[in-house]
Amino acid sequence: MATATNLLLTDLMSGVNHVPSNYIRPISDRPNLSDVQISDASSIPLIDLKDLHGHNHSNIIKQIGLACQTDGFFQVKNHGVPEEMIKDMLSIAREFFKLPESERLKMYSDDPSKTTRLSTSFNVRTEKLSNWRDFLRLHCYPLEDYVQEWPNNPPSFREQVGEYCTSVRGLVLRLLGAISESLGLEKNYIVEALGKQGQHMALNYYPPCPEPELTYGLPGHTDCNLITILLQDDVPGLQVLRNGKWVAVNPIPNTYIVNIGDMMQVISNDKYKSVLHRAVVNCNSERISIPTFYCPSPDAVIGPAKDLISHDQPAMYRNFTYAEYFEKFWNRGLATECCLDLFKPN
């Protein structure tokens, strides 16, 4: 039976048929699930990367640039990550969250600075309202620095997840080259601005929720990193803010959703937008989502690319280290949505 001492939502909710009070949002801040547009093919651009390095190169660069500028989100197919690897990744994530509580809790920590940790909500140390998710967060680049910290149960976890991380990193680097080009910068500009680079991932588990209209999996937020590559199972949950309306992005098998993070908005000097998005839950199905966050190393100095600053378009941000930004992001939590405003020039 669940007790008040359960550290994770999954265990707390075992056999409970209502949402505990610390998950209930004030009325003004509830998802209003009936006022959401369902996505169709046109709502979030779907870009075929098959010819990214072929004869259609300049057209694909143009599509990526347009999506970054107008949507902040796009989907990609023919992305080079094998279908089998995607299937294995989703199934090993599901397997991990089905392990006995005592086994999962070996990975538990409420300290956001830990490079491998299982936790719940967003930042349990600072928030007053909880979010309807448990998550396993892993640092994964350079892989050999972190893989020994990862769970060794399920037994194939380290090997399978390690291969997946490496494959997704290849996709990220291809996309960063394309985004650099779409801004009129040297192909390697963005990668070189990141210092040593960092890559994290989260395995998010959203259990079924008895009253989904009262709470969020994650409330509206922008991502603090550079670019996010999202893998999700076939259960809808992601919603993106578009022209003031929330749009549900329904999963398409074997595609990734790519979104621009706050650091890309800074480097592009506001040409590309980091867009608010949220995760909602439902009463029938659990949902798994696996975002890969690509980011600068903590000591990298981030600021608008010099070639994108002009008399007509002055620098919209001061220079800062990624560590400074990341700390503010985590400590403010998701309640204030975006903290880029703190880094405007004085």
Side-chain angles (χ1 to χ4, degrees), residues 85-95 231-234 288-290:
M85 196 179 269
I86 286 176
K87 209 170 82 199
D88 289 349
M89 187 66 219
L90 286 166
S91 88
I92 206 148
R94 192 164 275 113
E95 226 179 299
L231 171 63
Q232 47 180 353
D233 66 9
D234 55 2
I288 299 261
S289 78
I290 305 173

Side-chain angles (χ1 to χ4, degrees), residues 255-282:
T255 63
Y256 280 105
I257 292 171
V258 180
N259 69 280
I260 296 306
D262 295 349
M263 297 305 98
M264 189 75 84
Q265 181 165 329
V266 172
I267 289 171
S268 75
N269 202 25
D270 267 359
K271 189 172 180 187
Y272 292 171
K273 292 286 185 276
S274 178
V275 173
L276 285 173
H277 53 287
R278 66 186 188 180
V280 298
V281 289
N282 70 84

Side-chain angles (χ1 to χ4, degrees), residues 39 75 232-237 249-253 255 257 287:
S39 79
Q75 304 174 82
Q232 47 180 353
D233 66 9
D234 55 2
V235 177
V249 183
N250 288 335
I252 303 171
T255 63
I257 292 171
R287 174 174 177 253

Side-chain angles (χ1 to χ4, degrees), residues 2 22 63-66 94 100 187 195 275-276 292 322 343-344:
N22 59 314
Q63 288 177 46
I64 288 173
L66 190 63
R94 192 164 275 113
K187 190 175 176 181
V275 173
L276 285 173
T292 292
Y322 185 58
F343 295 87
K344 299 275 188 193

Side-chain angles (χ1 to χ4, degrees), residues 164-324:
Y164 176 82
C165 292
T166 302
S167 190
V168 170
R169 180 166 180 267
L171 169 60
V172 169
L173 295 176
R174 290 194 296 281
L175 286 171
L176 292 183
I179 292 170
S180 273
E181 283 186 66
S182 74
L183 285 164
L185 301 168
E186 289 290 321
K187 190 175 176 181
N188 292 332
Y189 180 89
I190 292 174
V191 167
E192 286 170 359
L194 305 180
K196 296 193 202 78
Q197 307 166 31
Q199 181 182 342
H200 318 155
M201 71 191 304
L203 281 58
N204 291 323
Y205 179 72
Y206 302 98
C209 175
E211 300 163 291
E213 66 285 354
L214 300 181
T215 189
Y216 284 109
L218 281 173
H221 64 286
T222 61
D223 288 353
C224 70
N225 53 300
L226 181 80
I227 190 172
T228 303
I229 310 286
L230 177 70
L231 171 63
Q232 47 180 353
D233 66 9
D234 55 2
V235 177
L238 173 68
Q239 299 182 348
V240 175
L241 193 63
R242 214 169 176 225
N243 304 323
K245 292 280 278 187
W246 289 103
V247 177
V249 183
N250 288 335
I252 303 171
N254 297 309
T255 63
Y256 280 105
I257 292 171
V258 180
N259 69 280
I260 296 306
D262 295 349
M263 297 305 98
M264 189 75 84
Q265 181 165 329
V266 172
I267 289 171
S268 75
N269 202 25
D270 267 359
K271 189 172 180 187
Y272 292 171
K273 292 286 185 276
S274 178
V275 173
L276 285 173
H277 53 287
R278 66 186 188 180
V280 298
V281 289
N282 70 84
C283 47
N284 301 318
S285 310
E286 61 186 15
R287 174 174 177 253
I288 299 261
S289 78
I290 305 173
T292 292
F293 305 105
Y294 212 78
C295 32
S297 57
D299 58 355
V301 176
I302 301 299
K306 289 196 174 45
D307 287 359
L308 301 178
I309 300 170
S310 64
H311 179 67
D312 297 333
Q313 182 65 19
M316 303 303 289
Y317 303 96
R318 65 175 175 82
N319 288 359
F320 53 86
T321 64
Y322 185 58
E324 184 189 352

